Amino acid sequence: MHRFLYIVIFILSTGPVFAASSIQNLQHLIDQKLYDQAARSGEKLLQKHAGDPDIEFLTAYAYQMNQQSGKAAKYYQELIRQYPELPEPRNNLAMIYLSDGDYDSASELLVNAINTHRSYATAYANLSNIYTGIASEAYRRAVSESNEPDSYANNIELTALTRLTPVRARATAESGLTEKSATSLTLVNQLIGWAKAWSEKDLDAYLGYYSNEHKLDYPTHRAWVEHRKKRILRPGFIRIEVGNFRIRAQSTNRATIDFDQSFNSLGYSDRVTKRIRLNRINSKWKITDERVLSVL
């Protein structure tokens, strides 16, 4: 299953005409995938226009795509220091950390990117993919009983997007992670944890994600628990992967999420679209209903 993490290319400022022309030329080299030439051109431009955020960002991107992550990271870090309100440098630096296997630093940068701009969907999607990747890597290692280093970062496909975002517009944009966005992250992470507990056959953790009222089509919650206990603890491995989360409805204490689920075991496998409903109970989100919507 391919997972996509997005690198953002964008124009930061509305500078003089000479700067705009230089940036256009630099952008053209990048569009042609002439990354080595673009990086060298960016360095020359910065000798004349030191500290120009547009040129610094595109130069960093050229280095990143030319497999010179150390030089790219240096520019991204400087941009974050100079322009803390911008989410894009954090997003791209997170990709470098991820390629080094540093999931925690990558996740932290993406959370901060979302904090700087509440509607920054790219960082949100990337963060979700990192969570999914961490869970998938845990499944792989659990199933294979392998102690090999994490391999998820090596399978990422980077997709470049173009964003034209002036610095001043970013500086005055409404910032801060809204309560709804923060809750969305919590809900996605909750379902990934649920799938991980299921895959690891951690029955107590798995059942802990459900409301005590949940019974599906069984007469009581206890009857449903006994059914799940027999299914989960039967011999053989279980591997669950979840992704493509779509939050259909959300309020302070209720949420409905559709997502794709892949189930694999020794004698059976399937891929389905599921819908899960959750209620916030004593400050914790609990599953109250779980249904298969369609077979994929």
Side-chain angles (χ1 to χ4, degrees), residues 167-216:
V167 164
R168 291 177 183 175
R170 282 295 194 193
T172 58
E174 184 176 3
S175 63
L177 183 62
T178 64
E179 181 179 354
K180 185 173 182 179
S181 297
T183 301
S184 297
L185 286 173
T186 299
L187 291 169
V188 168
N189 203 23
Q190 182 91 345
L191 291 186
I192 290 170
W194 162 80
K196 184 174 183 291
W198 187 0
S199 290
E200 294 177 350
K201 296 191 172 186
D202 186 341
L203 187 65
D204 289 340
Y206 171 79
L207 294 175
Y209 285 97
Y210 289 87
S211 160
N212 289 334
E213 303 300 319
H214 177 73
K215 60 181 183 178
L216 199 57

Side-chain angles (χ1 to χ4, degrees), residues 69-105:
S69 59
K71 292 182 178 180
K74 180 180 178 181
Y75 280 116
Y76 288 142
Q77 289 163 351
E78 181 62 19
L79 282 166
I80 291 169
R81 187 186 68 80
Q82 292 182 339
Y83 303 97
E85 75 278 7
L86 296 173
E88 291 87 350
R90 287 186 170 89
N91 180 84
N92 288 11
L93 182 57
M95 301 304 98
I96 293 175
Y97 286 151
L98 183 62
S99 68
D100 292 336
D102 189 348
Y103 298 112
D104 290 340
S105 295

Side-chain angles (χ1 to χ4, degrees), residues 57-289:
F57 187 88
L58 292 175
T59 302
Y61 178 80
Y63 275 129
Q64 185 171 4
M65 298 305 290
N66 202 39
Q67 307 302 314
Q68 294 176 275
S69 59
K71 292 182 178 180
K74 180 180 178 181
Y75 280 116
Y76 288 142
Q77 289 163 351
E78 181 62 19
L79 282 166
I80 291 169
R81 187 186 68 80
Q82 292 182 339
Y83 303 97
E85 75 278 7
L86 296 173
E88 291 87 350
R90 287 186 170 89
N91 180 84
N92 288 11
L93 182 57
M95 301 304 98
I96 293 175
Y97 286 151
L98 183 62
S99 68
D100 292 336
D102 189 348
Y103 298 112
D104 290 340
S105 295
S107 298
E108 181 180 358
L109 275 168
L110 290 170
V111 169
N112 288 336
I114 296 168
N115 276 327
T116 65
H117 199 275
R118 68 178 188 177
S119 62
Y120 195 53
T122 300
Y124 179 86
N126 285 347
L127 185 60
S128 175
N129 283 334
I130 286 180
Y131 286 154
T132 303
I134 292 171
S136 296
E137 182 62 24
Y139 306 151
R140 181 192 68 80
R141 297 183 70 178
V143 171
S144 65
E145 298 183 353
S146 170
N147 292 320
E148 296 176 1
D150 293 352
S151 62
Y152 170 66
N154 297 328
N155 297 323
I156 295 169
E157 182 174 343
L158 301 177
T159 302
L161 304 176
T162 300
R163 297 289 178 91
L164 305 179
T165 310
V167 164
R168 291 177 183 175
R170 282 295 194 193
T172 58
E174 184 176 3
S175 63
L177 183 62
T178 64
E179 181 179 354
K180 185 173 182 179
S181 297
T183 301
S184 297
L185 286 173
T186 299
L187 291 169
V188 168
N189 203 23
Q190 182 91 345
L191 291 186
I192 290 170
W194 162 80
K196 184 174 183 291
W198 187 0
S199 290
E200 294 177 350
K201 296 191 172 186
D202 186 341
L203 187 65
D204 289 340
Y206 171 79
L207 294 175
Y209 285 97
Y210 289 87
S211 160
N212 289 334
E213 303 300 319
H214 177 73
K215 60 181 183 178
L216 199 57
D217 296 323
Y218 291 83
T220 64
H221 176 70
R222 173 51 56 187
W224 172 81
V225 167
E226 289 301 317
H227 167 75
R228 296 307 295 158
K229 182 177 179 180
K230 292 177 182 178
R231 294 291 298 271
I232 291 174
L233 297 184
R234 66 173 55 172
F237 76 90
I238 300 173
R239 177 174 177 173
I240 313 297
E241 292 188 4
V242 291
N244 193 21
F245 301 100
R246 289 92 71 196
I247 298 178
R248 297 302 188 191
Q250 182 180 322
S251 64
T252 303
N253 295 313
R254 294 186 179 184
T256 300
I257 305 177
D258 293 353
F259 60 97
D260 297 339
Q261 173 187 293
S262 173
F263 177 97
N264 287 280
S265 66
L266 188 60
Y268 178 78
S269 64
D270 66 19
R271 291 186 67 243
V272 300
T273 295
K274 268 191 174 180
R275 172 168 293 170
I276 276 183
R277 291 187 170 89
L278 304 97
N279 286 359
R280 195 197 299 264
I281 302 171
N282 296 327
S283 76
K284 294 183 179 180
W285 287 97
K286 299 288 185 178
I287 298 171
T288 58
D289 189 57

